[in-house]
Amino acid sequence: MAAIPAAPYPFALDPETVALIVIDMQRDFLEHGGFGASLGNDVTRLQAIVPATARLIRGFRAAGRPVIHTRECHAPDLSDCSPAKLARGKPGLRIGDAGAMGRILVKGEPGAEIVAALFPEPGETVIDKPGKGAFYATELGDVLARAGITQLVFAGVTTEVCVQTTMREANDRGFECLLAEDATESYFPEFKRAAIEMITAQGAIVGWATPVDAVLEGLAA
Ligand code: C5J
């Protein structure tokens, strides 16, 4: 165990039972012309965390620990998309509609793919998730149980939506959750700041937060 500096207090990282979850680093959220950009968001904010996220992924691979990737996307017939989610947004900019990178958030379309710089290596788990949380309607819980994982380090986008939702799901399932704060981002800086405050409040009510460097030092210790 390596106690690494973190908010709200040091996190006891266990290099034997920890895994990395990289949430939704998809072209549709990060690239110009994608879904996020078409909603009027500044995607360069999200692109800025790619180098730190890549360093974190390399550190987990080098330590021989699991790297799990998620993608928010739906079956081409949209049978896994709830009517409530499907109806959300402006016509033409809804899930399944045609976008500049193919149908928005549909499996197999270019926009649903993970950005090239963070592409999964062969053998790494990729979870396709129909919800904001990565546990809902996926095999993630079984994958983690089979691998004996008890701790999760989180990276990805967006901090206050899919990352925070998945951290909350994981916390309720008994995992110790650590957010890599410079490997996560939001289109709204104030939402990222608030999400980190909510996660770490009241003695780590959802989990801890720390920079990528501290995670990497803990892994190497
Ligand atoms: C959103 C996500 N924001 N990955 N998805 O719709 O956070």
Side-chain angles (χ1 to χ4, degrees):
M1 284 290 183
I4 61 173
Y9 60 88
F11 182 85
L13 189 124
D14 182 354
E16 305 289 314
T17 66
V18 70
L20 173 64
I21 301 203
V22 185
I23 303 280
D24 300 358
M25 293 295 278
Q26 294 163 257
R27 298 185 62 199
D28 251 334
F29 294 122
L30 269 79
E31 292 188 4
H32 295 289
F35 180 42
S38 66
L39 294 174
N41 295 303
D42 174 9
V43 292
T44 63
R45 292 189 49 78
L46 273 51
Q47 291 169 7
I49 65 160
V50 168
T53 308
R55 246 167 4 95
L56 188 59
I57 290 173
R58 280 199 301 275
F60 271 76
R61 286 176 181 156
R65 297 308 305 159
V67 178
I68 296 164
H69 309 258
T70 72
R71 302 184 292 204
E72 182 177 355
C73 60
H74 296 272
D77 64 2
L78 304 179
S79 55
D80 57 358
C81 188
S82 70
K85 191 175 181 188
L86 206 48
R88 228 52 81 74
K90 292 191 191 134
L93 284 177
R94 293 181 177 151
I95 289 164
D97 288 346
M101 293 183 189
R103 293 177 67 206
I104 292 169
L105 297 185
V106 168
K107 252 177 239 185
E109 299 288 341
E113 202 41 270
I114 292 169
V115 296
L118 305 177
F119 210 72
E121 283 197 342
E124 289 177 350
T125 300
V126 179
I127 303 281
D128 286 333
K129 61 188 189 57
K132 302 303 179 193
F135 286 85
Y136 168 69
T138 73
E139 66 280 24
L140 179 59
D142 293 337
V143 168
L144 298 175
R146 276 200 302 273
I149 303 301
T150 66
Q151 299 188 338
L152 294 170
V153 172
F154 285 86
V157 298
T158 59
T159 316
E160 77 281 12
V161 185
C162 291
V163 176
Q164 181 175 208
T165 302
T166 305
M167 280 188 83
R168 289 176 180 274
E169 287 181 322
N171 186 50
D172 282 350
R173 285 165 173 77
F175 294 94
E176 288 173 318
C177 299
L178 176 62
L179 179 62
E181 61 195 21
D182 45 346
T184 184
E185 196 46 87
S186 169
Y187 298 121
F188 309 98
E190 67 276 23
F191 288 179
K192 174 179 176 177
R193 201 166 40 246
I196 292 176
E197 281 174 20
M198 284 188 269
I199 285 163
T200 59
Q202 300 179 69
I205 196 160
V206 175
W208 287 256
T210 199
V212 165
D213 281 346
V215 179
L216 295 178
E217 280 161 28
L219 265 185

